[in-house]
Amino acid sequence: MKSGGDSTTIDVVAHEGSGTSKGKGPILMVPVKEGKGGMKRGMAIIDLVLRSGAIVSALAAAATMGTSDQNLPFFTQFFQFEASYDDMPSFQFFLIAMSLVAGYLVLSIPFAIVSIVRPHASGPRLLLLILDVVALTLATSAAGAATSIVYLAHNGNASSNWLAICNQFGDFCRNVSGAVVASFVTVVTFMFLILLSALALRKHH
């Protein structure tokens, strides 16, 4: 701005881009919603932790049952007093079933990891849900069959002349009872796994 005599001159500075930017709106950065993805990833991590715990309990049940064997320190010329899991078909079925369940759980770990990496993928979740239901059925049937024999071993049954043997074979009864408890821990864990998978699949719709 210059002043000289009676005249005044005003210098107007033109701002760059004032004419060229007309008609162009500002660029807005829209944040990507990751709420659902984060929730699904969290559920997948919990699934992996529970699945790892189920592996431990299923292996413990199978290993404990497979090593359940006790010989009494006295015997006769014709008899040796021994209690072993393979003397009872229910315990044999228990060992086979829990071994299969443990093997399935180990093989399911990669699918659980895929669910963490790709939380929006429904294929691995659906496959795990179906196979978990099958494994739950197998584990429940094995636990139930073994529980009935353990009950008879502790209490006997006078109607069928089944004598309680836990007074003599205490170590054997403790082992098979521990195996049954571990199998029920596996069953409860499977229930939570199935519930998590169902909730995660429900979020897709």
Side-chain angles (χ1 to χ4, degrees):
M1 174 177 161
K2 297 179 182 179
S3 173
D6 296 332
S7 63
T8 302
T9 304
I10 299 175
D11 296 330
V12 179
V13 180
H15 295 280
E16 292 183 0
S18 60
T20 57
S21 61
K22 187 177 181 180
K24 293 185 178 179
I27 300 176
L28 299 178
M29 301 297 293
V30 180
V32 180
K33 295 183 179 180
E34 295 184 354
K36 290 185 177 180
M39 182 181 297
K40 291 177 183 177
R41 182 172 285 108
M43 294 173 67
I45 293 174
I46 297 175
D47 179 278
L48 180 61
V49 173
L50 289 176
R51 206 167 288 276
S52 301
I55 291 174
V56 175
S57 60
L59 285 176
T64 305
M65 182 63 74
T67 56
S68 297
D69 190 3
Q70 182 181 2
N71 294 319
L72 294 183
F74 55 88
F75 55 90
T76 65
Q77 182 179 1
F78 303 101
F79 297 101
Q80 181 178 7
F81 298 95
E82 177 185 9
S84 178
Y85 80 93
D86 54 4
D87 294 332
M88 303 176 187
S90 295
F91 288 164
Q92 293 179 4
F93 169 68
F94 179 92
L95 176 60
I96 295 172
M98 295 309 299
S99 298
L100 290 175
V101 169
Y104 156 71
L105 286 168
V106 172
L107 294 177
S108 69
I109 291 295
F111 295 94
I113 295 176
V114 170
S115 297
I116 297 176
V117 177
R118 300 180 59 188
H120 294 284
S122 60
R125 283 283 190 183
L126 181 59
L127 178 62
L128 287 177
L129 176 61
I130 295 173
L131 295 179
D132 284 348
V133 171
V134 175
L136 172 62
T137 304
L138 184 61
T140 304
S141 60
T147 300
S148 61
I149 302 301
V150 170
Y151 176 82
L152 290 175
H154 279 280
N155 302 296
N157 190 324
S159 300
S160 58
N161 294 324
W162 186 295
L163 301 178
I165 64 173
C166 288
N167 293 331
Q168 292 78 26
F169 298 94
D171 293 339
F172 172 78
C173 287
R174 280 191 290 272
N175 287 341
V176 295
S177 298
V180 170
V181 170
S183 68
F184 277 109
V185 172
T186 306
V187 168
V188 173
T189 307
F190 266 120
M191 292 180 180
F192 283 108
L193 288 172
I194 292 172
L195 180 62
L196 276 177
S197 296
L199 289 176
L201 288 174
R202 186 175 180 273
K203 296 292 183 181
H204 286 281
H205 302 287

